[in-house]
Amino acid sequence: MDIRRIAINNVTEIIEISIFQTDYKGQVAKRINEKMPLATVKGFRKGAVPKDLVEKQYGRGIKQEEVKKVVDLALERFIQTERLNLLGTPLAVEKEIFNWDLEELTFQFEIGLAPNFELDLDAPTNVVKYIVTADDKMIDGQITRIQKQFGTPVSQEIVAENSDVKGTFSNQEKGIDNQITITLDIFKEKATAQKFIGKKVGDVVTVNTKGLFEDDHQLMDFLKVNHDDVHNLEVDVDFTIESINETKPAELNQELFDKLFGEGNVASLSELKSKIKEDAEAQFAEQAEQKLMDDVINALIENTKFDLPDAFLKKWLQTVGEKKLSPAEAEAEYAKSEKGLRFQMIEGRALAQSDIKINFEDLKSFTTRSIRQQMAQFGQANPTPEEVEGIVARVLSNQEEVKRLSQEVMKDKVFELIKQKANPTTKEVTYDQFVAAMYGE
């Protein structure tokens, strides 16, 4: 047997395996001998078929099976011995005609190699860490929404300036179909609001998306339009009116405060504003952290140049999965996954270059946070420490879960290192300014 590597480029190679009769002949003969008592050939009793006829009928198939076993095992061992760090799995190089009668049989496999590159985590970046504040305008607007949410709806026959109008925005061509309750002050132009005045349930009001709102991004909220489309969208949409109400705002009193935050936790308007500010800024902090993560990742990808076996991976994507992909589908799939793959390479290199370790306390702390978050999602916002500790103990008694969680903790630590090395500039902004920065506008 002879095995060699043939370089196509620095991240793509061919492994060529040549095998000879001595590599498989003995096993083929053994298989044929085992087949003889079971072989059936017309004109002969079962078990009495001459060996040359058994070889003629079954020999080629047995030979191909045994050769495949020898080649597959040789390929696996060669990859291990050479310590090849592969992306994807080897792809057999198909030949139009393959002569199984040759003394020497040669097989080729294309492989994609993980790139070797330098990672400089200290390279300068322009990453910004945003501190998003809730300004008075946002807080007052939230209070108004709370008063309406807990207010008393009074049905109306026709739309007036202060009406809450429930209906559905629709445009079949653009796939717009969103049910929502609106007020007429959302529109940029008063002329648009006037189209609704005097309308009844069942009436349809047609408006154009261009300049419909003060900020085009509001199309995402009210019409569920993708961000990529909001700035260039200029189509007519129908709003079908389904109900009309005037809401009598709820009074800002202790009863409302207790409904919102629990008995006695908020006792005045100033405390309400402080609580709204606190909750909003906690939510903004999560969004800002996600943006920081995305920006750090993008900066690292931009600053760290290396080749990937693009052509190989696109071919490989066509072969994996239950559904085989066309070249065009594989191209599109690779375009979606390339960025993630590049960061995966960077993340692995960062881990290799660092001395990051995790201990049991790291694992327990991470698991505790995860359990509390999951319980909050299911309505258990304030579980007792004993409840949480019991669940954590059960989770950490499962070795598979410990392995999975350890990987998550390691990823968190790697990202904290990457984020620290990025040395982001801190900038305080309002939520509107943050949204503009998030979309690069």
Side-chain angles (χ1 to χ4, degrees):
M1 182 184 299
D2 181 45
I3 306 179
R4 63 193 185 109
R5 292 165 63 180
I6 304 169
I8 297 176
N9 53 49
N10 62 333
V11 287
T12 313
E13 293 186 359
I14 295 289
I15 296 178
E16 187 173 85
I17 304 176
S18 296
I19 67 170
F20 307 94
Q21 285 189 353
T22 52
D23 296 314
Y24 59 84
K25 188 175 181 180
Q27 190 62 23
V28 170
K30 179 183 177 183
R31 289 275 307 279
I32 288 176
N33 288 335
E34 292 172 349
K35 190 74 175 176
M36 287 187 65
L38 306 173
T40 55
V41 176
K42 189 174 182 181
F44 295 92
R45 287 182 293 106
K46 184 177 181 180
V49 182
K51 187 172 184 178
D52 60 337
L53 288 181
V54 174
E55 289 178 339
K56 183 177 181 181
Q57 182 163 340
Y58 300 104
R60 179 172 290 272
I62 290 174
K63 175 182 176 179
Q64 291 176 358
E65 289 175 6
E66 292 305 318
V67 166
K68 184 178 185 304
K69 290 178 185 177
V70 170
V71 171
D72 288 349
L73 182 59
L75 178 63
E76 180 183 347
R77 288 178 174 173
F78 183 76
I79 290 170
Q80 292 174 349
T81 302
E82 294 287 303
R83 295 183 178 179
L84 300 179
N85 189 4
L86 303 187
L87 296 178
T89 52
L91 289 178
V93 179
E94 302 292 343
K95 297 180 180 178
E96 290 186 16
I97 300 175
F98 190 88
N99 188 351
W100 284 92
D101 296 324
L102 294 175
E103 291 284 330
E104 178 181 338
L105 301 175
T106 300
F107 302 85
Q108 291 184 328
F109 297 88
E110 187 176 353
I111 59 171
L113 299 172
N116 188 22
F117 60 93
E118 296 295 325
L119 176 62
D120 182 8
L121 292 178
D122 294 311
T125 69
N126 295 319
V127 175
V128 176
K129 179 179 181 178
Y130 290 97
I131 308 297
V132 187
T133 61
D135 57 13
D136 291 340
K137 177 183 175 183
M138 170 172 282
I139 294 170
D140 290 341
Q142 181 63 15
I143 290 174
T144 299
R145 283 189 289 273
I146 289 171
Q147 287 183 277
K148 291 198 71 170
Q149 180 184 348
F150 289 89
T152 304
V154 179
S155 180
Q156 294 180 302
E157 290 190 6
I158 62 172
V159 178
E161 287 186 2
N162 61 346
S163 296
D164 299 318
V165 187
K166 181 180 178 181
T168 300
F169 280 113
S170 61
N171 177 290
Q172 188 172 0
E173 180 186 353
K174 292 294 182 180
I176 297 170
D177 183 19
N178 188 51
Q179 186 183 67
I180 193 167
T181 299
I182 64 171
T183 56
L184 302 188
D185 59 0
I186 64 171
F187 300 115
K188 181 178 180 180
E189 303 293 341
K190 288 186 177 180
T192 305
Q194 285 299 316
K195 291 184 176 184
F196 288 79
I197 301 296
K199 299 296 183 183
K200 299 179 180 180
V201 171
D203 287 346
V204 177
V205 180
T206 301
V207 295
N208 193 279
T209 56
K210 186 173 177 62
L212 186 59
F213 304 114
E214 195 69 41
D215 184 348
D216 287 338
H217 290 109
Q218 290 175 274
L219 291 169
M220 299 166 60
D221 299 321
F222 290 103
L223 276 67
K224 300 303 178 189
V225 175
N226 292 327
H227 177 259
D228 293 342
D229 299 329
V230 296
H231 296 298
N232 301 311
L233 192 65
E234 188 174 355
V235 297
D236 286 339
V237 290
D238 292 334
F239 186 89
T240 304
I241 298 173
E242 297 164 5
S243 68
I244 308 166
N245 289 294
E246 178 185 357
T247 301
K248 181 182 178 181
E251 291 185 23
L252 295 173
N253 55 25
Q254 193 61 49
E255 181 182 357
L256 178 61
F257 301 157
D258 290 346
K259 279 183 183 178
L260 293 170
F261 302 108
E263 189 172 346
N265 290 318
V266 171
S268 65
L269 178 59
S270 62
E271 288 183 16
L272 174 64
K273 289 185 176 183
S274 296
K275 183 62 176 173
I276 290 173
K277 181 179 177 67
E278 177 187 336
D279 291 349
E281 289 181 353
Q283 184 179 351
F284 298 159
E286 292 181 9
Q287 297 175 29
E289 184 67 18
Q290 183 60 54
K291 176 168 173 54
L292 176 60
M293 180 183 295
D294 293 341
D295 290 347
V296 169
I297 289 172
N298 289 333
L300 273 174
I301 292 173
E302 180 65 28
N303 291 339
T304 310
K305 305 298 183 185
F306 54 80
D307 294 327
L308 287 172
D310 301 326
F312 167 80
L313 289 172
K314 291 170 187 176
K315 284 188 285 187
W316 177 73
L317 282 171
Q318 294 179 55
T319 66
V320 294
E322 295 181 6
K323 178 180 177 293
K324 304 303 179 186
L325 302 182
S326 68
E329 288 172 329
E331 182 90 31
E333 188 66 26
Y334 182 74
K336 288 190 292 185
S337 61
E338 181 184 1
K339 179 180 172 182
L341 178 57
R342 286 187 176 276
F343 183 66
Q344 185 181 334
M345 298 290 100
I346 291 170
E347 194 176 32
R349 184 56 53 90
L351 179 59
Q353 291 180 188
S354 71
D355 59 352
I356 292 176
K357 296 180 177 63
I358 63 172
N359 55 41
F360 181 75
E361 286 305 314
D362 294 327
L363 190 59
K364 183 178 178 181
S365 176
F366 179 87
T367 306
T368 300
R369 289 197 307 273
S370 298
I371 295 300
R372 285 190 176 279
Q373 289 171 359
Q374 291 174 25
M375 294 179 78
Q377 289 174 357
F378 289 96
Q380 291 180 270
N382 297 299
T384 66
E386 292 76 18
E387 287 176 315
V388 176
E389 288 174 9
I391 297 172
V392 169
R394 287 197 296 275
V395 169
L396 295 182
S397 67
N398 183 319
Q399 290 304 309
E400 286 299 316
E401 278 297 291
V402 168
K403 183 179 178 181
R404 183 185 67 81
L405 290 167
S406 296
Q407 292 172 342
E408 292 295 322
V409 173
M410 189 63 76
K411 281 188 175 183
D412 273 9
K413 283 181 170 281
V414 170
F415 185 74
E416 284 302 316
L417 171 67
I418 289 171
K419 186 170 63 176
Q420 178 186 349
K421 292 285 188 179
N423 194 24
T425 303
T426 300
K427 185 177 182 180
E428 189 171 302
V429 294
T430 65
Y431 186 69
D432 288 343
Q433 291 169 329
F434 175 69
V435 169
M438 191 156 52
Y439 294 112
E441 297 161 6

